[in-house]
Amino acid sequence: MAVLSPASFVTKGPSSSSSSSSPFPARASFLRAQSISGSEQTNLRSSSASKSMSEFKLKVAKNSTGMTKEREIDDTATLTSKNLFDGLKERFLSFKKHTYLENIEHYESLAKGQAPKVMVIACGDSRVCPSNILGFQPGEAFVVRNVANLVPHFESGPSETKAALEFAVNVLKVQNILVVGHSRCGGIRALMSMHGFFSSFIGSWVSVGMNARKRTKADASNLNFDQQCRHCEKESVSCTLTNLLTYPWIEEKAKGGELSIHGGYYDFVDCTFERWTLDYKEDGEVSVKDRSFWC
């Protein structure tokens, strides 16, 4: 199957959106961990002022300094963790007061079950939370996040992303799948930096996007490395959309018009969003339609 690109063209397929968001509580100011000063004092009971005793005092002083520094590091880590969860507690209580309790009927309804209309596959990058940038409210989107927003080919073996797809499409009956790529993706950079076999967990996972890397190397060889990475970030979304159509139950629903498949690219450098939709025909033809650019 040819890899889809977010450009207007036609290729062959396999044979076989709410934008309003409630305001988040202001982030709590985290206190800087204060340095903990302290000294280890050694009381020497002997009244002798001999040279050997002076040397002993000197050694104790040096050791005490080292122990103080070690305590400073440990205590600073403890304070940072405490401040983190103090801040999270404030945010949670604010959420409960201003969001949960003010919309109690909605949350009581969600407690009985979920019926999201869209599944979102996004990167785990902390800068690209889909609910934040696209304003999804609780119950609206079934969200799966992984490194580089990838979806393996159907025949590649089990994974948590595949399990999520099966649940969302066959159990929750979502009507849309949106794959969101983004700028400055570390997973794509790792993919583009690979040399030969890469045995780490990261390398094994991002190799799912190897077709995107190959197409980037072929189509953008004249660009510098950073520009190639940006090209691959979009190309990987297209490869993921192609991989989605290798799942028989996704292909069947897309072909029958029950499921729409969309690609998206979020550039957090200038805060823009590009979106496009696959047009899947009954004869297996696949093209891109309804491409839009939000800025």
Side-chain angles (χ1 to χ4, degrees):
M1 177 187 297
V3 179
L4 295 173
S5 175
S8 298
F9 69 94
V10 176
T11 184
K12 285 288 183 177
S15 58
S16 5
S17 58
S18 172
S19 63
S20 62
S21 61
S22 59
F24 282 85
R27 295 192 175 187
S29 299
F30 292 101
L31 300 176
R32 292 185 176 180
Q34 301 296 317
S35 300
I36 300 174
S37 61
S39 61
E40 299 292 330
Q41 297 181 350
T42 304
N43 296 321
L44 302 176
R45 298 176 180 276
S46 172
S47 60
S48 171
S50 63
K51 178 180 179 180
S52 59
M53 185 58 73
S54 298
E55 291 176 351
F56 176 72
K57 288 182 179 179
L58 179 59
K59 290 180 180 178
V60 170
K62 288 182 177 179
N63 290 338
S64 297
T65 302
M67 292 173 66
T68 301
K69 289 182 179 178
E70 186 174 338
R71 284 183 57 198
E72 286 178 356
I73 294 173
D74 292 343
D75 290 344
T76 298
T78 301
L79 285 173
T80 300
S81 177
K82 182 179 185 300
N83 291 335
L84 168 64
F85 286 99
D86 284 346
L88 292 180
K89 177 182 177 182
E90 290 181 16
R91 294 188 203 180
F92 171 74
L93 294 177
S94 179
F95 160 78
K96 183 175 182 179
K97 178 179 180 181
H98 299 291
T99 303
Y100 179 87
L101 293 177
E102 291 182 6
N103 300 275
I104 188 64
E105 291 183 1
H106 176 63
Y107 284 96
E108 286 177 344
S109 174
L110 289 178
K112 299 175 183 177
Q114 59 173 325
K117 303 301 182 185
V118 58
M119 177 184 187
V120 179
I121 301 171
C123 184
D125 192 302
S126 62
R127 300 166 290 184
V128 292
C129 176
S131 295
N132 190 306
I133 63 177
L134 295 176
F136 288 117
Q137 301 302 304
E140 286 186 340
F142 185 78
V143 180
V144 175
R145 301 179 68 177
N146 61 42
V147 174
N149 43 269
L150 298 171
V151 171
H153 193 280
F154 175 73
E155 298 177 354
S156 63
S159 74
E160 67 279 3
T161 301
K162 288 184 171 185
L165 275 169
E166 186 175 38
F167 181 70
V169 174
N170 293 334
V171 178
L172 295 179
K173 309 293 185 184
V174 296
Q175 299 172 7
N176 300 272
I177 298 177
L178 170 63
V179 179
V180 181
H182 70 93
S183 57
R184 299 185 179 179
C185 179
I188 295 301
R189 197 171 187 88
L191 172 65
M192 292 297 294
S193 302
M194 287 174 61
H195 297 286
F197 180 73
F198 203 63
S199 60
S200 74
F201 291 134
I202 296 174
S204 297
W205 173 253
V206 298
S207 64
V208 169
M210 190 58 70
N211 284 339
R213 170 191 159 114
K214 291 178 180 178
R215 289 183 63 88
T216 296
K217 292 291 186 182
D219 298 341
S221 58
N222 60 316
L223 302 179
N224 63 40
F225 182 73
D226 288 340
Q227 292 171 328
Q228 287 185 15
C229 287
R230 181 178 175 85
H231 186 282
C232 191
E233 288 161 359
K234 295 185 178 183
E235 198 65 61
S236 70
V237 175
S238 296
C239 285
T240 289
L241 300 184
T242 300
N243 281 350
L244 284 172
L245 292 174
T246 66
Y247 293 71
W249 23 275
I250 290 180
E251 182 198 11
E252 180 182 359
K253 290 179 181 296
K255 190 175 182 179
E258 300 176 56
L259 180 66
S260 297
I261 301 176
H262 315 270
Y265 180 79
Y266 170 52
D267 187 340
F268 56 70
V269 177
D270 56 10
C271 196
T272 58
F273 196 94
E274 185 178 356
R275 185 201 66 82
W276 61 96
T277 299
L278 295 191
D279 187 13
Y280 194 89
K281 307 294 185 182
E282 290 188 6
D283 59 2
E285 274 193 357
V286 181
S287 60
V288 173
K289 66 177 182 179
D290 299 334
R291 189 167 70 250
S292 58
F293 191 76
W294 308 338
C295 58

